Amino acid sequence: VGKYQNEVSKEACKSCPSGRYNTDQLKIVEEHDSLEDCKLCEDGQYLASTGQSGCNHCDPGQYENEKGQVACKECLPGTHNQNSNGKDISECKACVAGTYADQAGLVNCKNCVAGLYGVQTGASGVDTCLFCAAGYFSTYSGSDACLPCALGMYMSDSLRLETPPKRTCLSCPTATTEASTTCEGCDAGKFGEM
């Protein structure tokens, strides 16, 4: 298994080189008399060692689009691949808005943390995760948009930039519009002169 010999009168067989394999158990001479009898690993596979009977599948986060390779290629930053045996770079999918892949070979994209959001598809860095504007919030990680604060709630410019980011708007009984950025005025049931 994993051997061939293309020279006559040799006592030992040669190992199939990396990226090639042979499954025959040395029973059929014609299956071991040429380097071509060592089959190339298929797309989506690799073989780093010599003298083997089969190839390994590319791991998730990788692909290989050429036959006879000794290693698989990694998906580029900004993309991911959850499946093994990837045969083409097109199997590396762009991260959706609200997520990013800051390194090559990722199986899953990373989420923007709660309180931040992302609008870029195929983002390759955490710096693409943005703070919501004043008056808006993002409750869940991986958000691709922010929601306006409801009536009776607010989010000031200084609050939205806190670390960790605010995930909800704060209560404000005097906030009478959606997306309020301040909490001013009289409490409910009271009045005053302006």
Side-chain angles (χ1 to χ4, degrees):
V1 176
K3 307 275 186 190
Y4 77 102
Q5 182 52 265
N6 58 351
E7 300 176 63
V8 292
S9 301
K10 296 291 182 178
E11 292 183 21
C13 291
K14 298 176 186 177
S15 293
C16 290
S18 300
R20 292 177 173 258
Y21 68 100
N22 189 326
T23 59
D24 186 70
Q25 300 282 330
L26 298 175
K27 295 178 180 175
I28 304 170
V29 174
E30 293 79 22
E31 291 293 318
H32 298 275
D33 61 356
S34 167
L35 176 60
E36 284 71 37
D37 292 328
C38 295
K39 309 290 188 265
L40 292 171
C41 293
E42 295 294 322
D43 293 358
Q45 300 178 342
Y46 73 100
L47 188 56
S49 54
T50 62
Q52 300 299 308
S53 62
C55 300
N56 302 309
H57 292 287
C58 293
D59 291 332
Q62 301 177 334
Y63 71 97
E64 184 48 67
N65 58 348
E66 298 179 65
K67 294 182 183 347
Q69 298 302 304
V70 298
C72 295
K73 299 174 179 94
E74 291 186 323
C75 292
L76 299 173
T79 66
H80 70 110
N81 179 7
Q82 296 178 331
N83 303 313
S84 61
N85 201 31
K87 296 177 181 165
D88 191 76
I89 194 169
S90 65
E91 295 185 48
C92 299
K93 304 299 181 195
C95 296
V96 298
T99 67
Y100 64 95
D102 57 354
Q103 57 192 349
L106 288 184
V107 176
N108 294 303
C109 297
K110 300 174 183 178
N111 287 332
C112 293
V113 298
L116 302 180
Y117 74 106
V119 294
Q120 183 179 339
T121 301
S124 60
V126 68
D127 58 331
T128 60
C129 299
L130 309 169
F131 284 96
C132 295
Y136 290 79
F137 71 103
S138 166
T139 302
Y140 303 105
S141 64
S143 294
D144 62 358
C146 296
L147 301 171
C149 295
L151 294 177
M153 308 290 280
Y154 82 106
M155 177 70 70
S156 69
D157 199 46
S158 61
L159 285 173
R160 75 180 182 91
L161 298 175
E162 287 184 1
T163 303
K166 289 281 186 212
R167 297 171 56 161
T168 59
C169 298
L170 301 178
S171 177
C172 178
T174 60
T176 58
T177 62
E178 280 190 347
S180 289
T181 59
T182 60
C183 185
E184 297 175 358
C186 298
D187 289 333
K190 298 185 177 180
F191 73 96
E193 294 182 16
M194 302 290 271

